[in-house]
Amino acid sequence: MAHEKLRPQYFFDEEKIKQLRQIAPECFEDGKINFETLRQNLGDLVQDEFDSSMEHFGLFWPGKKEARRAAALPPEGTLEPVYGEGLKADGTPDTDGENDSRNIFIEGENLEVLKILQKSYANKIKMIYIDPPYNTGKDFVYDDDFTEPLQEYLRRTGQVDEEGKPLTTNKRSDGRFHSKWLSMMYPRLRLARNLLREDGVIFVSIDDNEVHNLRAIMNEIFGEENFIGIMKRRAARKSANLSITMSDLCDYVMVFCKEELKFPLSNSNASDTTRPVFNAGNSISERTIKSNTECRCSDGFYEKGQYSVRTINFELVDDLEIKNGSTINKVRIKGPWRINQNVLEKTVYFTSNFGLRRYLLPEEFEKPKAINDLVDNPAFYNENGSEQLAEILKETNVFQNPKPVDLIKYLIEVVECENSNEDFVVLDFFAGSGTTGHAMNTHELNGKSGKYILVQLPEIIDKNNNEQKAAYNFCDKNKLRPFLSEITKERLRRLNPSSGYKVFKLTHSSFKKWKDLNVSNLENLEQQLDIFNNSPLSDNWGKNKLLTETTLVEGFPLDSSFKKFTIGKNEFYHVQSDDLVQELLICLDEKIEETLIEQLDMGSHATFICLDSAIRNKDKLRMSDKGLIKTI
């Protein structure tokens, strides 16, 4: 027998392939697994064993590999609560830090924030709406640099001081004009998909500049089979006459689901009472119409043969007599039928022009009617968005072209038609002026508990930019920092919603960062180990920040309840979430009294977390008898 080298074998059954498609649909191209894409998604865990020379159908651009890698890199920052900037559920300021609101506003760069939310919000978001930069050549895209440390990133993006520049102009003259935009969108959409529920839906506003590229990357990320449609929205009352070739009145809302929807996107049940019985594209088949069928056409004798109504042709196989508005005899008819014989007998009738139509069955009136892809509603024009924002802020032109509240309400309505007892959570990580939060605050969900998560970069407002002067003056007048995110928060505050909102900001992690070192250099490795020897915490950690970061690491959402209590000299937090059975008991004091070990009451689902240096080893053993204990 000839000698053969042993090679790894790969066996895939249908269930495993289905699971892989759900986890990473972008790894399937032309119905087959693209192992190069799969290898890039797995990062350093997989060696370069697959041949990447095979050609596949798909969209490629300079920087795509880096964009894929960006989505897989772990976060470097964390979220810290900002007390005094949010509102409690009763509408009062949350200056004491005890905010019971379930709505969340996050100030920070959205790629990093999406990474931080991965564990706590995986498969929990029902609807995502985003209005990203359209890449018109005049607007901005996020200038991602995935290699620089978070400190430099925060400084550069204006989150540390005002010298940073959060955005960069993407000019059409740049050879990588489309590539920059695609590299910005790709990792964010990849991470966003992970957060959607299985029945979740994402809406993305876009215009002609990138609609074709957006469709291509969303096909890859969400799977082409999960494409629902592209809504064309009339965006203005009248044309701006800015183009000499064609006047643009419309933009688009691209719609994808995570998995196949059980219900259509709908905001109403069937309103029509009749439906056609023929479809011109269907194959020809024969049905029988019984005697005594309703007729709205003239009485008389109709010879067998070919008949036509508008563009539909059908054939009477038998002669037909109509008298007193009913058929006298049964008749066979050949045509492109779209209903079966059973439905036909219950519903069909002859129309006034000797065509055929049918009534709806009673159960059909109860079914939701799917929306169409053309949206022309004056309430959805951008002018309404500007007027609504001006009414709240009492100033005009503070924000350029905000989306109208009624448009977002409409999208919420067409998603919430599905009968589900789960919370209706909406995420918008390009929050802008806060229209999505406004819509959720003023929209009454059908018996569901609704909440929103908004993410907005603290984009610096340039007082020397003519289009931003009104925004800068508004911030100056109202004693706000000159950042776009400040306008978003001010809008939410002035709504005075009964549901309130919590404010978090992106900041440094409380934990020291392990640097990738060449392990052959023992001196560097020893220095790195010395840094972590005493404590894994950084020098600038604080209780509030570490408390939030710990709960996120444990998979608790940002709207979890925090109940503070004391035992002796020690301060504790009892953390709970409606979404989880588990509970947390957290103490971040430098020293835990020995006597409280016996007093601490832990349930069967509770985990106790404290600083490793705050408790003795023998007390750790005593605590472990009560339940799970974790130390930092």
Side-chain angles (χ1 to χ4, degrees), residues 276-285 287 312-313 335-339:
V277 298
F278 292 130
N279 186 351
N282 289 358
S283 58
I284 302 300
S285 57
R287 303 282 188 272
I312 300 294
N313 299 317
W337 293 98
R338 64 193 297 176
I339 57 172

Side-chain angles (χ1 to χ4, degrees), residues 38-74:
L38 179 60
R39 185 195 64 77
Q40 291 174 11
N41 283 351
L42 295 176
D44 296 333
L45 296 177
V46 179
Q47 295 180 352
D48 295 330
E49 296 186 4
F50 301 113
D51 181 9
S52 61
S53 63
M54 294 178 61
E55 293 184 348
H56 298 276
F57 177 81
L59 178 63
F60 299 91
W61 68 90
K64 184 176 184 179
K65 184 181 295 186
E66 289 79 7
R68 279 186 179 142
R69 180 173 175 268
L73 290 174

Side-chain angles (χ1 to χ4, degrees), residues 556 576-583 604-606:
F556 280 69
Q576 287 181 300
S577 170
D578 294 339
D579 301 329
L580 300 172
V581 176
Q582 298 94 327
E583 303 172 22
S604 58
H605 299 292

